[in-house]
Each structure stands twice: as structure tokens, then as C-alpha cells.
Amino acid sequence: MPELVFFSGTMDCGKSTLALQIGHNRSARGLQGVIFTRDDRAGEGKLSSRLGLVTDAVEASGRMNLYQYVVGLVSRGGRVDYVIVDEAQFLAPEQVDQLARIVDDLELDVFAFGITTDFRTRLFPGSQRLVELADRIEALQVEALCWCGARATHNARTLGGHMVVEGAQVVVGDVNRPEEEVGYEVLCRRHHQRRMTSASAHAGPLSPDVLPVTQS
């Protein structure tokens, strides 16, 4: 039976890498899918991984009807065997309803990837709706680590290396950015509650570099 599956975790736990892997595995078997993304770090219409991999995707703007987009492709003779959605936390709740309709009406598997809570530990509306509607919720098995070495469970927004707790819910950034820029860091609950980042604790990040992956 087709499913709406929500893969969730903190930043830096391999969500986009898994999304790319699922797409690769299915395309290697001759299947064709649609990849949606929103506000990816690599820019509009891209799905990228911190390992250095990137592929083209459809930018899911806030006004896009995802169900109608897929129906339109099929109506024009296109083939769609599955749907992948990265950065699904940025979707509007009604767009998550559209993903569920893709599963139920078109009988396609939909794999959504996203973080559950924002830098204030509040649920993203898109993630909340996915928790409410998903047939299955999968926690990513690759554990991101806080600077102290404990399992990271919370996302922190940083400015000048220090944690901030006010501002717009969505500000595009990434981990391992220069301290003077707006960036993000994953922390354990203890250090998130204490607003203690690696910079404020004078601790270096555990893994500052991505793997040396070269695309051919």
C-alpha cells in the first residue's frame, strides 16, 4: 500500500542525503519520481546534501498546489512513480494535505524529510501536519552530536556564535557558517536550555568539515 512517510530529525543528521539515496535507488530500478524542495541551502530548485551531492528539484513555493502539479504531469503523459519532499517543515499545512491526497488518490508513495521543531523548540506548521497525517514517522538513525558529545536533539540559531531565541521562524542558513553570519547549531537539550553554543563554551565543533566527495 502507498504511504506518506515522514523522516524527521535535527539538522545535520543526514535527511537530505537519505532523500537523495531513496531517489537514486528508485531511479536505478527504472522508476521516475518528482522531487520537491523548499529553501534549500544550495538555492532555488535544488536538493543538496552536506556531503556535496546535489540534484535538481521543483521549488515548492507557498502558493503551489503539489497535488495539482503531479496530476498535471501525469495528464500531459508524464510518468510519476513516487514523490520526494525535502525541507518539508517549510510546507504550509494545506500542502501536507495535498501530499496525503497524492498517496490516497494517485496511489503513490510520498517520502517527506524535515526537521520537527524550530530554533525556539516550537513545531513547524508543516511538520506538525505531517505528524498528524503521516502513515509512518521515521526518526533518522544517524545521530547529530552536540559540541559536548551528547546526542543533539534541538536546533539553535546563532549570530556571532551566540544563540538567539527571537526572530522569524524561517531564516535560511546552515551549520558551520562563519560566526559573524546567521547560522545554526545542533545542541543537546541541556545546552539548548542554557543557550550554550560551542562558541560561548569555547569548544570547537566535533566535525567541522564535510566528507571529501567529488562529483564526476
Side-chain angles (χ1 to χ4, degrees):
M1 292 288 292
E3 290 184 307
L4 172 57
V5 187
F6 179 33
F7 295 89
S8 67
T10 62
M11 296 181 71
D12 210 19
C13 73
K15 296 182 300 301
S16 298
T17 301
L18 181 58
L20 288 163
Q21 185 67 55
I22 286 177
H24 170 76
N25 289 352
R26 279 160 177 71
S27 64
R29 297 296 180 268
L31 302 178
Q32 298 181 29
V34 175
I35 299 177
F36 293 109
T37 191
R38 177 82 177 271
D39 294 334
D40 188 273
R41 68 184 73 85
E44 183 174 333
K46 299 292 182 183
L47 191 167
S48 67
S49 164
R50 291 188 182 87
L51 298 186
L53 304 175
V54 62
T55 191
D56 291 330
V58 178
E59 186 74 15
S61 68
R63 294 185 297 272
M64 176 181 284
N65 186 311
L66 308 184
Y67 175 80
Q68 288 183 359
Y69 183 91
V70 174
V71 168
L73 282 180
V74 175
S75 299
R76 295 191 298 271
R79 177 180 170 185
V80 180
D81 297 306
Y82 62 91
V83 173
I84 290 174
V85 186
D86 197 30
E87 307 293 356
Q89 72 273 6
F90 296 144
L91 296 181
E94 55 268 26
Q95 289 177 311
V96 177
D97 289 353
Q98 294 158 13
L99 295 180
R101 190 177 177 190
I102 290 172
V103 176
D104 297 337
D105 292 1
L106 305 182
E107 298 186 344
L108 301 176
D109 283 317
V110 175
F111 306 100
F113 299 80
I115 58 179
T116 308
T117 57
D118 64 15
F119 69 105
R120 300 165 299 187
T121 71
R122 300 291 188 266
L123 284 168
F124 282 99
S127 297
Q128 178 178 333
R129 193 61 178 146
L130 278 163
V131 170
E132 293 166 346
L133 290 185
D135 297 293
R136 184 157 46 95
I137 300 172
E138 298 282 350
L140 272 293
Q141 298 303 307
V142 177
E143 292 185 350
L145 299 179
C146 177
W147 60 263
C148 69
R151 177 174 177 263
T153 54
H154 291 68
N155 305 295
R157 181 180 294 169
T158 61
L159 181 61
H162 296 279
M163 182 173 159
V164 294
V165 293
E166 295 181 352
Q169 186 176 52
V170 179
V171 174
V172 178
D174 202 359
V175 297
N176 297 325
R177 285 212 171 183
E179 285 189 4
E180 64 272 13
E181 298 182 15
V182 173
Y184 290 89
E185 183 174 345
V186 289
L187 300 172
C188 64
R189 186 180 62 235
R190 178 188 298 111
H191 289 127
H192 192 280
Q193 294 287 342
R194 295 177 181 176
R195 303 186 186 178
M196 189 178 294
T197 65
S198 59
S200 62
H202 305 292
L206 293 177
S207 300
D209 300 316
V210 298
L211 295 178
V213 176
T214 301
Q215 289 182 288
S216 58

